[in-house]
Amino acid sequence: MEDEAGDGLDPAPTGPRHDRDRRGRGSYARSGNGRDPSGGDAEPRTTYAALDLGTNNCRLLVARPAGNGFRVIDAFSRIIRLGEGISASGRISDAAIERAVSALSVCRDKMRYRHAGRARLIATEACRAAENGDAFRARILGEVGLDLEIIDRKTEAALAATGCTPLIDPDTQGVILFDIGGGSSELVRLGPCVPTRRGPPAPRIEGWISVPLGVVTLAERHGGHEVTREIFEANKELLTLHELIGHRLVQILLGLHRGRTYSV
């Protein structure tokens, strides 16, 4: 099934929606000043939205605080293949843009329906790599009303680490995190988490690397249906990637042993 959205989720709250005007952080509606339209000062909304526009997928989570974490009240996921053909043409195709507009319109409507008061709307490798990435972002802003934030690889690695910290055993001394996406892959070395007074622990990144290769780009370049050992060993780019990751992983592990850190 192409779209995924949770069933039996909390009903939408009543009352006015509060818009924010910071790039990628809730400016999904471009009218209003974030105040109660009746003229009064309403309480800040506590419904949050997170949108991740990747090279392959468009995902949205809408949640409210619950205890020391969040309760997801709405969700959406669709494969849109935004990065399709970028490795050959260097551009986001018209067909991919239309798919993105359709999916992002659904996300916008869900955020409005749930009265999300704060949001972060990020785009990753496809928009970083495409020569028309900025033009695509401008079109989404004008046509859909979503102000996307095209993040760099360091930020992407940090967000992946932040999302994984609640899963880390608090007694462990370190974790190696692999985040394999559609257009890029990140490898992060995490030390013991930093405790916080409320909410999940903060990540302690001791080293990271990012390479502009993911499942979409590799499949387009080398075929993704069948990769035998013979095909793998005959492909110089795959071998180079394998050696690069292995070399950097050794660097990170040695850095931990010697009390040093590496950010590459």
Side-chain angles (χ1 to χ4, degrees):
M1 186 168 62
E2 189 180 54
D3 293 353
E4 296 178 5
D7 295 323
L9 298 169
D10 290 354
T14 58
R17 173 175 51 84
H18 289 258
D19 304 326
R20 298 177 68 85
D21 194 33
R22 295 174 61 194
R23 177 180 298 180
R25 293 176 183 265
S27 48
Y28 51 88
R30 303 299 294 177
S31 61
N33 58 5
R35 294 182 179 273
D36 188 337
S38 66
D41 290 329
E43 290 295 322
R45 291 296 176 186
T46 56
T47 299
Y48 300 84
L51 186 147
D52 179 5
L53 182 64
T55 301
N56 195 46
N57 284 70
C58 174
R59 296 187 180 92
L60 170 74
L61 287 179
V62 183
R64 296 194 185 109
N68 288 330
F70 291 91
R71 178 181 179 182
V72 175
I73 61 170
D74 212 339
F76 175 81
S77 177
R78 179 183 293 178
I79 296 173
I80 63 170
R81 305 187 305 281
L82 183 66
E84 185 177 58
I86 287 180
S87 58
S89 69
R91 297 179 57 84
I92 302 173
S93 69
D94 291 340
I97 291 174
E98 292 301 325
R99 293 192 294 265
V101 167
S102 174
L104 290 170
S105 296
V106 175
C107 294
R108 175 204 58 204
D109 292 345
K110 282 180 171 288
M111 288 188 285
R112 286 178 174 174
Y113 180 73
R114 295 292 176 178
H115 300 297
R118 296 188 65 185
R120 188 166 189 185
L121 320 172
I122 66 169
T124 56
E125 183 64 26
C127 291
R128 285 195 298 260
E131 63 185 50
N132 61 337
D134 288 336
F136 166 76
R137 191 185 73 82
R139 176 173 172 180
I140 295 301
L141 177 58
E143 191 168 332
V144 184
L146 298 181
D147 195 357
L148 297 172
E149 173 191 1
I150 302 176
I151 60 173
D152 58 26
R153 294 193 180 102
K154 182 177 181 180
T155 301
E156 186 169 2
L159 289 175
T162 301
C164 289
T165 52
L167 307 175
I168 298 175
D169 184 341
D171 295 326
T172 191
Q173 293 301 304
V175 170
I176 298 292
L177 167 65
F178 292 87
D179 181 10
I180 301 174
S184 67
S185 298
E186 285 72 42
L187 174 64
V188 184
R189 173 68 173 90
L190 294 170
C193 292
V194 180
T196 56
R197 197 165 63 90
R198 293 187 60 189
R204 194 172 83 188
I205 298 176
E206 297 185 338
W208 67 277
I209 62 169
S210 177
V211 291
L213 291 172
V215 294
V216 172
T217 50
L218 287 175
E220 285 188 348
R221 294 180 189 180
H222 312 296
H225 296 291
E226 182 179 0
V227 180
T228 64
R229 177 172 292 276
E230 290 74 20
I231 293 175
F232 179 85
E233 291 179 347
N235 190 296
K236 293 183 179 179
E237 184 177 26
L238 290 178
L239 286 175
T240 300
L241 175 63
H242 182 266
E243 292 171 358
L244 172 65
I245 292 177
H247 176 66
R248 296 306 191 196
L249 178 58
V250 169
Q251 278 190 314
I252 290 174
L253 293 175
L254 286 176
L256 172 68
H257 177 68
R258 296 170 182 167
R260 297 162 59 191
T261 60
Y262 292 85
S263 295
V264 181

